[in-house]
Amino acid sequence: MIDSHAHLTVKKYRKDLDAVLSRARKAGVSAVVNVGFDVDSSADGVRLARDRSDVFAAVGVHPHDAATVDDYVLSYLEELAGDAKVVAIGEIGLDFYRDLSPRRVQEEVFVKQLALAERVGLPVIIHDRDAHRRVMEILKGEKVSRGVMHCFSGDMGLARQALDLGLHISFAGPITYNGAGAAAIIRKMPPERLLIETDCPYLAPVPFRGKRNEPAYVKYVLERMAQVLGRPVEEIDALTEGNARRLFGLPS
Ligand code: NI
């Protein structure tokens, strides 16, 4: 398994990150993509990835913090993106649910980080909360074709638009408790575009819902996806792992 979206540099793991990562290995997680959400978490993620052969890094600023992004931040992200362990730009996008940065600023910064990904030749990890229409308009306008809609929460119409662009779609813990909607979408997905993730420390799957999440629990997302597809867990494991390795260019 590959956990394609984790936030391991947050305080919640400060005391036991070694144990968290060794539980992940024991559970069968062969690689984790640690995803930045601001400048510090991006830099910390690159350091963590340098130290651990099975951790890779994505660098970027989340829409919540879009208002903090200036030219200096963008050039620093570009410098980080040059590291051999950096495999994506993210997470970037729009969040019109919490609106922690003004929408106009979120959109400008999203476009700038998409342009950065294009310059450095990396795929993007996209956060979209209650902003489906604008996210899609911007992705189409910028002709984005390599990346993933993380923790997908849209409907089949949105999934189709993302697939048409060439994007992957990643599912997280909510598929273990938000039954029917996600299941119907998963069944209609081209298998080669499916990814799994934890988004830890958030969104722990059943049976750990409400607790701190961690990469080892990606197996519950995998098992639910296999159940929804009516396929053996080993098959969906190999499928989603291969998809993640190709998208992020991870060594196999
Ligand atoms: Ni995230």
Side-chain angles (χ1 to χ4, degrees), residues 87-102:
V87 297
I89 299 299
E91 59 184 285
I92 61 175
L94 302 178
D95 194 311
F96 292 172
Y97 177 70
R98 292 184 64 194
D99 277 325
L100 294 187
S101 285

Side-chain angles (χ1 to χ4, degrees), residues 19 65 86 127 150 176 178 200 208 212:
D65 284 310
V86 174
H127 172 99
H150 119 81
T176 65
N178 283 351
C200 65
F208 297 104
R212 184 187 73 170

Side-chain angles (χ1 to χ4, degrees), residues 167-212:
L167 300 176
H168 288 65
I169 300 208
S170 180
F171 293 90
I175 69 169
T176 65
Y177 49 83
N178 283 351
I185 292 173
I186 289 169
R187 287 192 198 100
K188 286 187 195 144
M189 286 281 298
E192 72 278 7
R193 302 288 188 83
L194 280 169
L195 297 185
I196 52 174
E197 65 171 282
T198 57
D199 200 17
C200 65
Y202 317 106
L203 300 177
V206 172
F208 297 104
R209 197 174 175 195
K211 306 251 168 62
R212 184 187 73 170

Side-chain angles (χ1 to χ4, degrees), residues 64-242:
H64 288 341
D65 284 310
T68 67
V69 175
D70 55 17
D71 287 347
Y72 172 77
V73 166
L74 287 166
S75 65
Y76 183 54
L77 290 174
E78 186 156 350
E79 190 185 315
L80 288 174
D83 190 283
K85 293 296 290 292
V86 174
V87 297
I89 299 299
E91 59 184 285
I92 61 175
L94 302 178
D95 194 311
F96 292 172
Y97 177 70
R98 292 184 64 194
D99 277 325
L100 294 187
S101 285
R103 292 183 179 187
R104 185 184 50 78
V105 176
Q106 290 188 41
E107 293 188 3
E108 274 172 27
V109 167
F110 184 29
V111 169
K112 284 182 179 167
Q113 292 188 96
L114 290 171
L116 163 62
E118 176 72 22
R119 274 201 302 285
V120 298
L122 289 174
V124 289
I125 297 175
I126 296 154
H127 172 99
D128 163 20
R129 185 127 192 236
D130 289 357
H132 301 333
R133 194 176 57 82
R134 282 302 289 151
V135 163
M136 237 4 106
E137 283 169 0
I138 289 171
L139 291 174
K140 280 181 196 161
E142 301 302 309
K143 300 191 168 51
V144 174
S145 62
R146 278 176 71 215
V148 54
M149 302 290 290
H150 119 81
C151 193
F152 189 72
S153 63
D155 59 11
M156 195 55 213
L158 184 78
R160 248 191 211 111
Q161 292 181 61
L163 293 169
D164 284 348
L165 287 173
L167 300 176
H168 288 65
I169 300 208
S170 180
F171 293 90
I175 69 169
T176 65
Y177 49 83
N178 283 351
I185 292 173
I186 289 169
R187 287 192 198 100
K188 286 187 195 144
M189 286 281 298
E192 72 278 7
R193 302 288 188 83
L194 280 169
L195 297 185
I196 52 174
E197 65 171 282
T198 57
D199 200 17
C200 65
Y202 317 106
L203 300 177
V206 172
F208 297 104
R209 197 174 175 195
K211 306 251 168 62
R212 184 187 73 170
N213 198 358
E214 59 178 68
Y217 302 167
V218 77
K219 86 167 191 207
Y220 298 100
V221 178
L222 170 69
E223 285 169 3
R224 172 68 181 147
M225 186 178 277
Q227 182 195 42
V228 162
L229 292 170
R231 308 298 308 172
V233 171
E234 303 71 39
E235 180 186 319
I236 303 308
D237 181 8
L239 171 78
T240 52
E241 172 152 353

